[in-house]
Amino acid sequence: MLQFREEGIYFPAADCYIDPWKPVPRAVITHGHSDHARPDMGSYLCHTLTKEILRHRLGPDIQVQTLDYNEPLHINGATLSFHPAGHIIGSAQVRLEYKGEVWVVTGDYKLLNDGVSTPYEPVACHSFITESTFGLPVYQFSSCASIYDEINHWCAQNAKEGYSSVLIGYALGKAQNILANLDPELGVPLLHGAVFNMNEALTRSGHLFPGEWLAPEIPADRLKNAVVVAPQSVLGTSWLRKLRPYRIAVCSGWMALRGPRRRLSVDKGFALSDHCDFEQLNTAIKATGAQNIYVTHGYQAVYSRWLREQYGLNAVELTTHFENNEEAITGEDQKTPE
Amino acid sequence: MKDFVTLFQEIDATTKTNAKITALVSYFQHAAPQDRLWAITLLMGNRPRRPVKTTDLRTWVATITHLPLWLIEESYYIVGDLAETLALLAGDQENTEAPVLTLTELLQALQQLAGLNPEEQQAFITRFWMDHRGEDNFVFNKLITGNFRMGVSKQLVIKALAQYIGQDEKAIAHRLMGKWDPAAETLESLFGERTIENKAYLPYPFFLAYPLEGAPEASLGPIGEWYLEKKFDGIRGQIIVRNHQVFVWSRGEELVTDKFPEFDRLKDLLPNGTVIDGEIIPWKDGQVLPFAQMQTRIGRKKLTPKHLSEVPLIMICYDLLEYNGEDIRAKTLEERRLLLTSLLALPSVNSVLQLSHLLEFDDWEAAAQFRARARDFFCEGIMIKRMSSVYETGRRRGNWWKWKTAPMTVDAVLIYAQSGSGRRSNLFTDYTFAVWDGDQLVPFTKAYSGLTDKEILRLDRWVKTHTIEKFGPVRSVQPELVFEIAFEGIQESKRHKSGVALRFPRILRWREDKPASEANTKEDLRALL
């Protein structure tokens, strides 16, 4: 029912591509991260809450059509609908139905409730396309709430010892999760331009997050013992210099491992992820009842073998061009500030 | 062991020396007395022997997690550290009912563990895993996998101990040399006043030279203030004669007297209370033999007279640390050398002890010319020591420099990459290189170091997108990238496919200007033999 083409995942019945990586006339977008929502598409179909993110990132002139969660769209006898993916604000699994056959393309998703994005809902289907970013049993993420507690405790301790706290996380998703759960006692957080601009865009869809822009001319005493939220692109740059003395923490699922944590030579790593860990993936896949599982970006070879052997599912690897915004954090070519 | 785990985490979380020392001193102040001694042995790098088989550990973790063994293996490849993999899998639940072990109790239990049968071992280890948090399990696993390492140098530990005990760092360093049993010692027996007299076999901490970068005339001043000597490629050692006994120590603080029977006669030839510092090298008929021959001899369990006559060893002596029972390290090198010279004037010792000759140059330029051709003189460069220098401990800048000759190099093609461990886990950092043999690429060396962190990340991405095949943790990659490989020596070798073995291979630079076709050939490599 779906075709895996050069341009992306194609749904012929409705003549559209899901998260295409090359320009196509009709693109269905699971969420606003840049490896899923690319420029130069003829038109975009996305969840209501993703619209302002796309306009912010791809320009105000793009042609966007939106749907709410669970709102079906009928095209040529095919049905398409969005369902909460729990990954970031507006993130959706795409349910595709044609002649009684149902596929779900998840984009990125997680089962843990981050308190900001609409929580994940399982969708029954025959075929399920899943990512596998953290598809190994060594990844076992704690609840977001418990990590927020740790972050608040760490920031408070830093302030007590006379240090600012710099929290590094992706400008869309992680940054808002952190901001929405910061202890107000820590003061109004300061935001890197990329985070501040993203928050501005999210305001237009009704989301309000605390924080003030860390302008270049900001008075020095405002920086004292402050909490700063910035994307990973600032790591190793002079942008951080004016924040001294500070302690810096990276918030990413990769921080679950000691090697990546030490490699970044930051003071602290919080394993806060917008992706599923091993158990979440297993739970999600079982809940769909799907027999055919397509495993994309991550540990696809290992994880699909696990699905075949453990659950007797028809699981195969699927090569895609999705990277992972969490993966970028350990890579060198970090995305430039938005 | 909670306080020890906390210490481990504090040290792991910082790169700042002062924070590490503070953490160490605070641990010494608060830990139980016997725990301190066990902690000191661990911190000084004396790891406990691995009491169990690592394959058993994998099987046991598979049992409690109900995961297939292959998935444990795959996870291990990704994590790159067995102790961490096991800790991540084994769980994170603390059982508050479980008995709390002190570090001493734990390490003693581990010593006994080796003698138990596999079922008893499994019961002990899985019980521990299920009763403890992930961070405890991680440190525990580091201990039971036999590769416990803390992010502190010996010198840092010595510094912290000196602060805690209120003694001179040199004294602490001296008393911690060599092997000692934490179960048989106390802080008093180790660091008390009478310790040294009781331990005649103890060496002095080695003073190590710093590599010289840049031209010496700018940084070192007039050449006349320095002793220059050949830098030999051998084993740095100390020969001790005390109480009519000879002890030979290597720089790795191993007592290696048994490996060097030729020095035994010195007990009758040298006065008691003599400690000589020098380089042990293979020497026959007035010629230096290749280092590899000595390595082979050292590796033998049993030395026959044939081995001894084939590869005789001598010490090239360059310093005297103890003379007539007196520690003379605070005298100047000039004075120490005079005493050493008088001691070696005894013709009877010269078959095994030779004075390191001073190289005489008019200026640094002449020294530089010698250094450039050092291999022609059977050495690997020049040692430069300030005549007025005292004998310090550890590696320090300022008074002793090593000025090695430029390494040999070849341009080679990257053909395999393997993920590293520790800080480099989850990254492809262990590389295998090949040179051309006709139109075939033959692997000839591995290299792990030499790239910057940035280059490692770039190369890691490249490896992931240019993989041909995966063999467990190893990937074969498209033979496209060229690297300049530097090494200190090259030997014929029957054990290697390429027929050669390199000494200290490392990556000098990434030759992005060169296509694979312009890499060196096997003939080029053999021409260096």
Side-chain angles (χ1 to χ4, degrees), chain A residues 140 258 263 309 330 332, chain B residues 12 70 84 88 425 458:
Chain A
Q140 302 175 16
R258 188 161 167 259
R263 208 144 61 219
E309 295 190 2
T330 53
E332 176 222 14
Chain B
D12 198 41
W70 68 264
E84 186 183 1
L88 288 167
S425 65
R458 259 180 70 210

Side-chain angles (χ1 to χ4, degrees), chain A residues 173-227:
Chain A
K174 214 65 66 69
Q176 289 75 32
N177 296 348
I178 295 166
L179 290 171
N181 293 283
L182 272 184
D183 184 347
E185 295 281 305
L186 295 166
V188 177
L190 296 173
L191 309 181
H192 181 273
V195 177
F196 181 79
N197 290 338
M198 184 53 72
N199 285 357
E200 285 285 294
L202 291 167
T203 308
R204 294 196 282 277
S205 55
H207 291 90
L208 286 177
F209 295 98
E212 101 184 41
W213 181 39
L214 201 167
E217 61 278 5
I218 200 160
D221 63 328
R222 176 66 183 89
L223 297 173
K224 202 168 161 21
N225 300 349
V227 176

Side-chain angles (χ1 to χ4, degrees), chain B residues 39-295:
Chain B
I40 293 166
T41 42
L42 286 175
L43 290 162
M44 293 299 287
N46 298 321
R47 302 172 248 197
R49 296 225 339 244
R50 181 162 50 77
V52 289
K53 286 197 241 141
T54 55
T55 48
D56 283 345
L57 291 171
R58 294 173 212 203
T59 313
W60 300 337
V61 89
T63 308
I64 60 168
T65 54
H66 308 289
L67 292 170
L69 203 52
W70 68 264
L71 189 54
I72 310 274
E73 292 293 325
E74 292 286 353
S75 299
Y76 170 42
Y77 294 151
I78 298 299
V79 177
D81 181 309
L82 184 62
E84 186 183 1
T85 310
L86 297 172
L88 288 167
L89 292 169
D92 195 22
Q93 295 297 320
E94 177 142 37
N95 174 6
T96 46
E97 315 272 284
V100 179
L101 292 178
T102 66
L103 182 65
T104 306
E105 287 163 347
L106 176 68
L107 291 167
Q108 286 176 335
L110 292 184
Q111 284 182 340
Q112 284 158 17
L113 199 59
L116 302 183
N117 67 42
E119 289 73 33
E120 292 166 321
Q121 293 178 338
Q122 179 176 16
F124 177 83
I125 286 171
T126 51
R127 183 76 260 151
F128 190 96
W129 282 339
M130 294 197 291
D131 285 346
H132 288 84
R133 303 270 335 241
E135 64 242 33
D136 304 329
N137 282 335
F138 177 65
V139 173
F140 173 77
N141 290 344
K142 281 280 172 195
L143 293 170
I144 58 175
T145 51
N147 57 9
F148 180 86
R149 225 193 120 260
M150 203 112 145
V152 286
S153 65
K154 287 184 183 182
Q155 243 164 33
L156 207 76
V157 180
I158 288 165
K159 207 167 187 164
L161 270 172
Q163 266 187 35
Y164 166 62
I165 298 175
Q167 274 185 21
D168 183 49
E169 279 176 46
K170 273 188 194 147
I172 300 279
H174 195 178
R175 284 152 204 215
L176 286 177
M177 292 287 291
K179 294 257 185 293
W180 48 275
D181 179 6
E185 303 276 357
T186 63
L187 280 182
E188 177 57 29
S189 70
L190 265 185
F191 302 109
E193 285 306 315
R194 292 180 41 78
T195 301
I196 288 300
E197 296 113 72
N198 302 336
K199 297 187 176 168
Y201 56 87
L202 275 188
Y204 292 97
F206 286 88
F207 181 24
L208 307 173
Y210 221 86
L212 183 69
E213 283 149 15
E217 50 266 55
S219 50
L220 303 187
I223 195 167
E225 294 173 9
W226 301 84
Y227 282 148
L228 277 69
E229 302 166 275
K230 283 184 184 176
K231 181 181 186 324
F232 287 99
D233 185 13
I235 292 177
R236 176 84 182 271
Q238 265 178 52
I239 294 178
I240 297 171
V241 181
R242 291 182 191 131
N243 301 344
H244 306 285
Q245 279 182 288
V246 172
F247 305 97
V248 183
W249 288 83
S250 75
R251 208 200 86 186
E253 289 184 21
E254 268 181 280
L255 188 58
V256 286
T257 317
D258 299 348
K259 302 283 184 190
F260 306 105
E262 36 265 276
F263 298 131
D264 190 55
R265 74 191 75 150
L266 293 172
K267 66 183 178 220
D268 303 321
L269 300 176
L270 288 174
N272 279 317
T274 302
V275 178
I276 297 173
D277 181 13
E279 194 86 4
I280 300 167
I281 59 166
W283 179 268
K284 198 176 184 184
D285 306 328
Q287 287 273 331
V288 185
L289 300 175
F291 182 83
Q293 293 194 20
M294 173 163 68
Q295 233 173 2

